[in-house]
Structures are given as structure tokens and as C-alpha cells.
Amino acid sequence: MQRIARGDPDAVSELYDRFGAMVYRMAYQLMPTKAEAEDAVQEVFVRLWQSAGRYNPDRAALVTWVMIITRRYLVDQLRRMKVRPRPTTLDAAWQASDASAKDPDDRMIRSERQQKLLERISTLPELQRQVIERAYLGGKTLRDISEELDRPLGTVKSALSRALAILRERVPQDEDME
Amino acid sequence: MNRDDILQLAASDALGLLSPSERTELELAFLAADASTRAEIRRVQDTVAGMVDALPPEEPASTLRARVMGRIQHLIEEDLAESIHESVIARVGGDVDRRDWVERFMAGRVSPMWRVACLVLATASLCVGWYSLEAHRTNRALSEYMVNNATREFLRDSGAFAEDFMYHPDASFAALQATRPEQLGRAMVAYISSENKGFLFADVPESDYRYQLCVGDDPEQLRTIKTFSSDGESMGVAFDLTASDAEGKQLWIVGTVRDADDYVLVTSL
């Protein structure tokens, strides 16, 4: 990140190689069209380049920092465009993806690790799952979710914290996180 | 804000849901937090970041990489061009509008490298300027202090006549400097312009020839105002000199030591 902050284009290139697909994956799920997802990826990398000097490895792992910058941009765009992301649940997202799958074999290899995480999310208590999905896929604030679900804000906050605590216990941290 | 509140804020931050003020609140809480809370904040945010694995895989178009790199390269070149542009403006002046770059700088859209470079350069310039000014003032004060003090010391030692000069309100003092480092001796002069008179206190080498006290700008065209001998002891010489003759001129002691060496001491009046 120091090389990026110094304006080294090769360093940006390496950052894209490492995180480009991940950023796109996130953008694809939250943006209404592929074109807008690609525009979003471009803008996210501009933001990463511009804020590289502020990255503090003691504060967050690099992948976490990249994902936070990505989500900030995407949620901001969602609010500006006032559109709903394509799928609002993980099940719907996977169904849509399966329907357009071109290379099922490749999908199967990838899905092992993902499947574990999905199973763990699906076993969360209903409220916790709803809060996670609406916040993560819908970019909705906890206050919005509280109103949509007609639950007190404190209950929604607790549900999110508990859900993350459960996922953290069950999901071993990916090697990329370190 | 308790630990649960901080962790809840950290989760919302990782989800991209916080406003700028809430993010600031979280960063302050992070800085104030103990090591275990900090580690917990990191774990919460890592967990949210890891949820990207729960999303169906989607591959970006193969052209996207080139697009992203093209845009970044364009911004890097734009930044570079802007900074060169600014540099040229700073060197040659001109009526070029600088607001755009300033606005970009203030809005944080200028690359961190250039922002830091500008701030460091500005700070360094201010520091060097301030230091030079202070050093100049100190040197000048010290120099004046040394010359005046040394002159006063000489005059105090030379008796009542010299003391008249020393305590005269219009008296100015100057130390004559050797033109060559190997020259021995020293000399001080006190001059009262309102009375057109001066007093030379000299400690110059013994010579078979008389020394000349001269005034003038050009070493080849000096006017002698007094001659005096030296037996190697400290001695005082009174002389007359009008203020108009002295104005802007230098005062010289010129002599010959051991039949060979030109002996010259000089000062500005």
C-alpha cells in the first residue's frame, strides 16, 4: 500500500490482481446491472489508490480494508440510485447464479468453501439471518431493518452482533485474512 | 460507549453502513480501546469481510482490468501534469487559474504523495526561512556586541581622553580587520561625527616606518589623515575627520613591517 501511495502503477496492478475479482463479486451482487458493477469496480480502485496512504495494517487486514472501502462505495451508490440490489437473500443470489452458470464444474470446485459458509448462515436463527442478509446484500442500515422487520433497534443490533459472533466461531478465518 | 456498542459500530462499518461522523466515532473508540477490544474489532470486521465467500462467484469481464488500470494511470498522469504545471507557474508566474488544483487538494482528490510532498515542502520552507532570519539576527547582534565591547575595553584601558569618546552619546565604534590572516595586531576606532573627531587605539607590530591612518574606498587612492609610530606597545592616536569625508568610506591603517610586508587593517566607518 505504501507503493500505491507513492503513485506506483505496478502496485495498483498487483492490488487489482489480488482483489479485483472479489470487489467485482461484491459489486455484481449489489449493483443493478453488470455495466454499473464494472463502473463501481473502477471507482472502488480509484478510492483505494487515493486512500492508500491512510491504510494502517494495525487497524485492519488488507483484505478487510479493501472490502470496507468497497462496501462504503457500493452502499453509497445504492442510496444515491435508490435502487434495490438484484437478490435480497443469499438463496436467491445463488439461484440466479446457477441459472446463468456456464461452467458448472468450475462452480463446484469453488463452492466447497462457500457452501460451508452458506450452510452456517442458513442455520442462523431467522432474525439474525434476516438482519445479516438485509444489511449485507441490501446495504440497509440497522434502523431501516428495524422498521422493515418491525423490531426494536436494540434487538436488531443484538441480532447482528450475535450472528457475527456465531459466524466467527464457526467459520475459520481464511488465509487471505492474515 | 461500551464494548458492545463499539463492536456493533465496527460491524456496521465493515458493512459500509456508517456515516462519516459515525466512522470518526469508531476510529476514536478504536484508539481509546484496550488491546483485547481492538483485537475483537478486527475479528468482527474480518468476519464481515469474509462473508464475500457467501456470494455466488462472478468473473469480471477480461477488459475490466485494463479499464481500471487505464483510469488510475490517467489520474496519476493528471496529478503529475498538475504538479508540473504548478511548478512552472511558481517559477515563471502568470495568470493561470490555480483554483482547480487547490480545490482538488482541499477535497483530498490529489494523490497522498503530492499532498504530503506539498505540506513537507511548505513546512520545510517556513522552518528554513525562520531559522535563517533568526540566525542572521543573532549573528548581527553578536557581532555588534563583540565589536562594541572589545572597542570599549580598549578605550577604557587608554585613559581619560579615550573615555570621553567611550561615553559620548554620538560615538560610534568599529574594529579594524586584518586583510591577511597572518597579520598580527588589532585596532579599534571611536568616531564622533557631530564633532568631526576620532580616536584610534592600536596594538600593531613594531616597525621602523611610520604607519598611516587613511580614509577612502579605493586602496590605490587613499587619503592619509594621520601618521603614527609603533614600538610594539598598545597606543592611542587622536585624529580629525569631517563627517562628509568619512561618510561611506573605509578607514585604513597602512604600514610596512620588517621592510617587506605590507601591513593593512581596514574597517568601514
Side-chain angles (χ1 to χ4, degrees):
Chain A
M1 294 314 291
Q2 288 174 348
R3 284 170 57 211
I4 293 175
R6 287 197 299 267
D8 180 350
D10 290 342
V12 184
S13 177
E14 287 168 27
L15 191 75
Y16 181 87
D17 290 342
R18 190 167 168 195
F19 299 115
M22 193 184 284
V23 171
Y24 178 75
R25 195 166 168 186
M26 178 77 72
Y28 181 83
Q29 290 303 325
L30 269 70
M31 293 289 104
T33 66
K34 268 194 165 186
E36 282 165 304
E38 291 186 355
D39 287 347
V41 171
Q42 185 171 294
E43 288 311 307
V44 165
F45 274 89
V46 168
R47 290 187 174 204
L48 290 170
W49 170 65
Q50 288 172 333
S51 54
R54 295 197 290 274
Y55 171 64
N56 175 8
D58 294 333
R59 173 67 182 81
L62 182 56
V63 63
T64 302
W65 182 72
V66 169
M67 292 318 295
I68 289 175
I69 299 282
T70 302
R71 288 208 54 95
R72 279 180 193 162
Y73 179 78
L74 294 175
V75 169
D76 189 47
Q77 286 301 105
L78 280 179
R79 288 175 187 166
R80 282 171 198 270
M81 294 190 292
K82 295 181 177 161
V83 293
R84 249 183 59 177
R86 286 183 281 192
T88 51
T89 67
L90 287 168
D91 285 343
W94 278 90
Q95 280 167 15
S97 176
D98 287 344
S100 62
K102 291 176 183 171
D103 188 351
D105 291 340
D106 191 38
R107 287 279 156 85
M108 287 302 289
I109 295 167
R110 288 165 179 270
S111 70
E112 269 189 48
R113 192 175 65 191
Q114 293 162 338
Q115 196 57 40
K116 284 182 187 171
L117 178 60
L118 283 167
E119 284 170 11
R120 282 156 188 165
I121 292 173
S122 67
T123 57
L124 289 173
E126 179 66 12
L127 178 62
Q128 292 178 18
R129 192 176 54 78
Q130 283 185 325
V131 170
I132 280 280
E133 286 184 335
R134 288 176 191 231
Y136 193 70
L137 288 179
K140 291 183 175 162
T141 64
L142 300 187
R143 189 173 297 282
D144 289 342
I145 296 170
S146 145
E147 286 170 7
E148 283 179 6
L149 298 177
D150 196 22
R151 298 292 190 101
L153 180 59
T155 304
V156 171
K157 285 181 176 178
S158 299
L160 175 65
S161 297
R162 284 180 192 154
L164 290 175
I166 291 169
L167 290 176
R168 195 164 64 243
E169 284 166 11
R170 293 181 182 176
V171 180
Q173 293 300 307
D174 192 280
E175 284 177 7
D176 288 345
M177 293 292 187
E178 300 307 324
Chain B
M1 193 185 298
N2 62 34
R3 184 181 163 100
D4 287 343
D5 292 335
I6 296 172
L7 296 179
Q8 188 273 314
L9 261 188
S12 294
D13 181 42
L15 287 162
L17 303 176
L18 294 189
S19 66
S21 63
E22 288 171 321
R23 288 208 293 267
T24 304
E25 197 178 348
L26 172 63
E27 293 313 313
L28 291 174
F30 181 85
L31 289 173
D34 56 36
S36 112
T37 305
R38 285 185 178 197
E40 191 63 14
I41 288 171
R42 284 180 59 120
R43 277 195 288 272
V44 165
Q45 297 200 319
D46 286 348
T47 303
V48 176
M51 283 181 63
V52 71
D53 280 336
L55 297 175
E58 290 293 337
E59 290 299 318
S62 56
T63 53
L64 184 56
R65 184 180 195 284
R67 264 184 67 190
V68 170
M69 293 312 300
R71 174 109 162 90
I72 302 279
Q73 188 63 41
H74 175 72
L75 289 172
I76 289 173
E77 285 166 8
E78 203 175 70
D79 261 7
L80 188 63
E82 297 249 3
S83 66
I84 291 170
H85 182 63
E86 278 297 301
S87 166
V88 170
I89 289 170
R91 283 168 186 270
V92 303
D95 298 326
V96 184
D97 188 1
R98 304 174 195 193
R99 282 176 300 173
D100 181 53
W101 198 88
V102 172
E103 282 168 9
R104 284 165 51 80
F105 186 92
M106 299 306 288
R109 282 184 283 125
V110 170
S111 110
M113 181 185 73
W114 288 114
R115 290 171 66 83
V116 169
C118 288
L119 291 174
V120 167
L121 191 62
T123 308
S125 300
L126 285 173
C127 289
V128 168
W130 177 83
Y131 179 78
S132 301
L133 188 63
E134 283 301 304
H136 175 71
R137 283 179 181 158
T138 305
N139 278 345
R140 191 170 167 181
L142 191 61
S143 172
E144 284 177 0
Y145 174 82
M146 289 174 71
V147 167
N148 289 343
N149 257 20
T151 309
R152 285 168 197 272
E153 283 288 318
F154 267 130
L155 292 173
R156 187 178 294 120
D157 292 343
S158 65
F161 181 75
E163 281 191 10
D164 288 344
F165 283 87
M166 190 169 70
Y167 295 113
H168 196 289
D170 293 339
S172 59
F173 303 91
L176 283 81
Q177 306 291 325
T179 53
R180 295 198 306 275
E182 68 271 18
Q183 286 182 171
L184 300 173
R186 53 186 178 168
M188 303 289 166
V189 65
Y191 180 64
I192 303 171
S193 57
S194 58
E195 297 180 12
N196 295 331
K197 63 181 183 180
F199 186 83
L200 171 74
F201 187 89
D203 183 1
V204 292
E206 182 180 5
S207 172
D208 295 332
Y209 304 93
R210 291 179 70 78
Y211 285 94
Q212 297 175 65
L213 180 64
C214 308
V215 66
D217 288 331
D218 182 353
E220 302 299 322
Q221 296 181 350
L222 299 178
R223 183 166 66 86
T224 303
I225 55 175
K226 193 83 177 181
T227 60
F228 60 94
S229 301
S230 171
D231 56 4
E233 299 292 325
S234 298
M235 34 101 35
V237 180
F239 60 90
D240 294 322
L241 182 66
T242 62
S244 59
D245 282 345
E247 190 176 355
K249 301 283 196 313
Q250 290 180 303
L251 195 67
W252 304 71
I253 293 174
V254 180
T256 302
V257 180
R258 292 185 214 98
D259 290 330
D261 300 326
D262 290 337
Y263 185 86
V264 181
L265 297 174
V266 64
T267 187
S268 295
L269 286 171

